[in-house]
Amino acid sequence: MMKKFINVLSMGIIVLGLGYYMAGSYLKDKNTEFAQSFNHYNLLAKRSPKFMQVDYDDADKESDGSYTFYADAYDRQGNWHEIDLHSNDDLDDGQLVKMDTKGSYVKDYQVISPDDLPYKLYRMFSN
């Protein structure tokens, strides 16, 4: 009886672990609201900085007065990522932002100067 219980429990843990791994692998680069929430705790999503330039043409003003920016984001190597930045701050059009991300989840962000960009991105954003 106890052996059967342990086998069922073990299989349950394996199925849950496999499900978490598959969901984490799939959602780590997705940009839906659910994926962003999941990536906050996703062990498979890497924490890394991403950079974007504020563009109000690619933004929505929310009912509370904040903005959600849908501009292109890039990692240090210049790879494009789809990330939405929600901001209550008064950002200027064209400002550069460094985001502390985990997958598609934005933990924090700060406004930076062009001199703070990695060289590859400096060339991309200055054109």
Side-chain angles (χ1 to χ4, degrees), residues 42-117:
N42 188 353
L43 300 174
L44 301 174
K46 286 187 346 186
R47 186 171 176 185
S48 65
K50 305 230 175 27
F51 303 86
M52 68 174 276
Q53 191 165 24
V54 174
D55 184 0
Y56 280 96
D57 290 338
D58 291 328
D60 286 338
K61 186 169 185 171
E62 307 297 336
S63 59
D64 62 0
S66 64
Y67 283 88
T68 300
F69 296 96
Y70 305 103
D72 295 336
Y74 298 91
D75 61 22
R76 291 184 183 277
Q77 291 75 35
N79 299 315
W80 176 83
H81 295 272
E82 183 179 356
I83 296 194
D84 298 345
L85 173 64
H86 185 78
S87 173
N88 293 321
D89 297 331
D90 190 21
L91 300 172
D92 294 331
D93 209 34
Q95 276 187 312
L96 296 169
V97 176
K98 177 182 180 182
M99 299 174 287
D100 179 13
T101 65
K102 187 170 181 210
S104 60
Y105 173 72
V106 179
K107 294 172 90 59
D108 194 20
Y109 68 91
Q110 64 185 16
V111 175
I112 60 170
S113 73
D115 296 335
D116 296 328
L117 285 170

Side-chain angles (χ1 to χ4, degrees), residues 1-69:
M1 178 73 170
M2 186 64 146
K3 186 172 179 151
K4 188 174 184 179
F5 173 74
I6 291 174
N7 285 342
V8 169
L9 183 63
S10 298
M11 283 305 294
I13 290 172
I14 289 171
V15 168
L16 287 174
L18 186 60
Y20 177 85
Y21 177 79
M22 290 173 59
S25 295
Y26 177 74
L27 293 174
K28 67 181 178 177
D29 294 320
K30 300 296 179 197
N31 198 33
T32 64
E33 195 171 321
F34 175 75
Q36 289 177 358
S37 297
F38 187 84
N39 284 333
H40 183 76
Y41 304 102
N42 188 353
L43 300 174
L44 301 174
K46 286 187 346 186
R47 186 171 176 185
S48 65
K50 305 230 175 27
F51 303 86
M52 68 174 276
Q53 191 165 24
V54 174
D55 184 0
Y56 280 96
D57 290 338
D58 291 328
D60 286 338
K61 186 169 185 171
E62 307 297 336
S63 59
D64 62 0
S66 64
Y67 283 88
T68 300
F69 296 96

